């Protein structure tokens, strides 16, 4: 059965002997999160983290619309968010909700058509982008004005900075590639091919390390977490699958959930509301 569009569904896997693929798929369809709970004392942290998100929603049913001109098209959208069919000149990306202190970085590829020399322009507008969303407190719909997207098209570029790889974009490409790589590695782990799963993660580590944004905090923590995953769970397919699925969904959605303190790459997604709710939880152990 389909999950109603207005419903958010979060799933939790307690212990390593659960159906990770089923729970994560339900969460994806329900625009929610999947959390792997590795030990009893982490149950409260896991649920309070989710409550922090529920109590701080600032926008719902967000739609980002990108409209390209002439023969320009969006060739690919590197996101798990629902979006229009690509390639297309007009693409709408749907984001279920956004919480306070959160942000979403959308990475997509644009097909740039060839031009004759006579058609070259120093700077031309190729697209517009706009956003609309519902304010959860008033249930009113808000729409932004269209923002122009421009592109420099000239054989003689005097500003060499225009030829440099954009640092912020490079960070986001590394995030997306890491999330995709984790998901692919999980497939191999479920097939009990840990050598191939390890090779996938090592390729991602190599790519991030060689990138211009390799010293960014997110990129460094991604490399650290991927290396730890290889070291800790090289011979444990189920644990590897649980942790990798959890982290992959965190980085795809840019939304934090509980994760073991051993891994830190998703810490940047934790909001103030998450921290407040977690601080309100006290774990009472029955151990003396």
């Amino acid at each position: 059965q389909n999950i109603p569009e207005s419903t958010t569904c979060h799933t939790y896997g307690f212990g390593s002997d659960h159906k990770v693929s089923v729970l994560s798929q339900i969460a994806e369809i329900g625009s929610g999160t999947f959390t792997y709970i590795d030990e009893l004392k982490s149950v409260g942290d896991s649920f309070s983290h989710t409550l922090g998100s529920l109590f701080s929603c600032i926008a719902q049913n967000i739609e980002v619309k990108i409209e390209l001109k002439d023969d320009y098209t969006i060739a690919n959208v590197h996101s798990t968010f629902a979006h229009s069919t690509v390639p297309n000149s007009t693409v709408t990306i749907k984001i279920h909700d956004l919480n306070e202190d959160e942000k979403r970085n959308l990475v997509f590829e644009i097909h740039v058509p060839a031009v004759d020399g006579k058609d070259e322009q120093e700077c031309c507008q190729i697209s517009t982008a706009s956003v609309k969303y519902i304010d959860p407190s008033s249930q009113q719909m808000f729409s932004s004005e269209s923002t122009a997207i421009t592109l420099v098209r000239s054989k003689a570029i005097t500003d060499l900075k225009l030829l440099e790889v954009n640092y912020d974009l490079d960070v986001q490409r590394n995030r997306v590639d890491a999330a995709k790589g984790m998901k692919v590695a999980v497939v191999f782990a479920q097939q009990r091919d840990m050598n191939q799963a390890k090779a996938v993660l090592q390729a991602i580590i190599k790519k991030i390390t060689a990138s211009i944004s390799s010293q960014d905090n997110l990129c460094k923590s991604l490399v650290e977490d991927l290396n730890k995953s290889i070291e800790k769970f090289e011979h444990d397919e189920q644990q590897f699958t649980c942790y990798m699925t959890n982290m992959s969904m965190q980085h795809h959605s840019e939304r934090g959930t509980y994760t073991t303190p051993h891994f830190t790459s998703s810490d940047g997604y934790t909001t103030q509301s998450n921290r407040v709710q977690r601080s309100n939880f006290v774990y009472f152990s029955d151990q003396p």
Side-chain angles (χ1 to χ4, degrees):
Q1 292 183 343
N2 292 327
I3 297 173
E5 191 171 335
S6 59
T7 301
T8 304
C9 185
H10 302 281
T11 60
Y12 302 84
F14 183 69
S16 59
D17 57 344
H18 60 273
K19 295 289 186 181
V20 184
S21 58
V22 174
L23 291 177
S24 60
Q25 189 174 15
I26 291 172
E28 285 183 351
I29 295 172
S31 301
T33 57
F34 163 73
T35 302
Y36 171 44
I37 306 174
D38 54 348
E39 52 187 351
L40 180 60
K41 67 179 182 180
S42 302
V43 172
D45 265 359
S46 302
F47 283 92
S48 59
H49 205 295
T50 305
L51 286 174
S53 296
L54 295 176
F55 292 154
S56 61
C57 182
I58 58 173
Q60 295 175 322
N61 298 340
I62 306 159
E63 291 189 5
V64 180
K65 188 175 184 180
I66 305 168
E67 298 177 276
L68 283 91
K69 297 183 175 183
D70 303 324
D71 293 327
Y72 293 89
T73 57
I74 293 181
N76 202 351
V77 179
H78 296 284
S79 173
T80 55
F81 296 124
H83 56 78
S84 312
T85 303
V86 290
N88 210 321
S89 59
T90 300
V91 171
T92 299
I93 304 170
K94 296 183 178 181
I95 302 172
H96 192 70
D97 56 22
L98 187 71
N99 300 328
E100 190 176 12
D101 296 333
E102 285 188 332
K103 61 181 178 180
R104 297 291 180 267
N105 294 279
L106 303 175
V107 180
F108 51 89
E109 296 176 33
I110 295 178
H111 166 70
V112 179
V115 294
D116 296 329
K118 61 181 180 181
D119 294 327
E120 285 184 1
Q121 300 179 45
E122 186 64 27
C123 187
C124 59
Q125 180 180 329
I126 65 167
S127 174
T128 59
S130 60
V131 179
K132 67 178 182 180
Y133 65 93
I134 293 176
D135 175 13
S137 59
S138 66
Q139 289 300 301
Q140 286 185 304
M141 173 73 75
F142 290 88
S143 300
S144 72
E145 294 183 0
S146 294
T147 299
I149 299 175
T150 58
L151 179 68
V152 174
R153 303 211 65 181
S154 174
K155 289 182 179 179
I157 296 178
T158 56
D159 186 356
L160 296 181
K161 287 186 177 181
L162 293 173
L163 299 177
E164 296 177 359
V165 175
N166 182 278
Y167 185 91
D168 293 331
L169 175 58
D170 199 59
V171 171
Q172 297 308 319
R173 280 195 300 206
N174 284 335
R175 172 185 63 82
V176 169
D177 286 344
K180 287 182 177 180
M182 293 175 197
K183 198 167 186 177
V184 172
V186 164
V187 174
F188 285 115
Q190 291 172 330
Q191 296 170 353
R192 298 188 178 278
D193 189 349
M194 288 303 294
N195 287 332
Q196 192 59 44
K198 179 180 175 180
V200 170
L201 297 190
Q202 288 174 330
I204 297 298
I205 292 169
K206 183 177 180 180
K207 179 183 179 299
I208 295 175
T209 304
S211 69
I212 65 164
S213 62
S214 61
Q215 295 306 303
D216 179 83
N217 288 336
L218 174 59
C219 295
K220 287 195 294 185
S221 61
L222 278 170
V223 169
E224 290 173 3
D225 282 359
L226 292 174
N227 276 319
K228 287 177 186 176
S229 299
I230 294 172
E231 295 167 7
K232 290 175 68 67
F233 308 118
E234 185 176 1
H235 304 293
D236 190 335
E237 295 94 343
Q238 185 64 17
Q239 285 272 51
F240 179 90
T241 297
C242 293
Y243 281 113
M244 284 294 97
T245 301
N246 198 18
M247 282 198 286
S248 175
M249 292 189 68
Q250 288 174 328
H251 290 296
H252 265 307
S253 65
E254 294 184 277
R255 174 163 289 172
T257 57
Y258 162 79
T259 190
T260 175
H262 295 302
F263 299 113
T264 61
S265 60
S266 64
D267 287 354
Y269 307 136
T270 301
T271 67
Q272 179 62 20
S273 182
N274 294 142
R275 287 187 283 270
V276 168
Q277 290 300 320
R278 289 177 68 176
S279 68
N280 290 337
F281 173 80
V282 179
Y283 172 68
F284 294 96
S285 173
D286 58 359
Q287 299 297 319

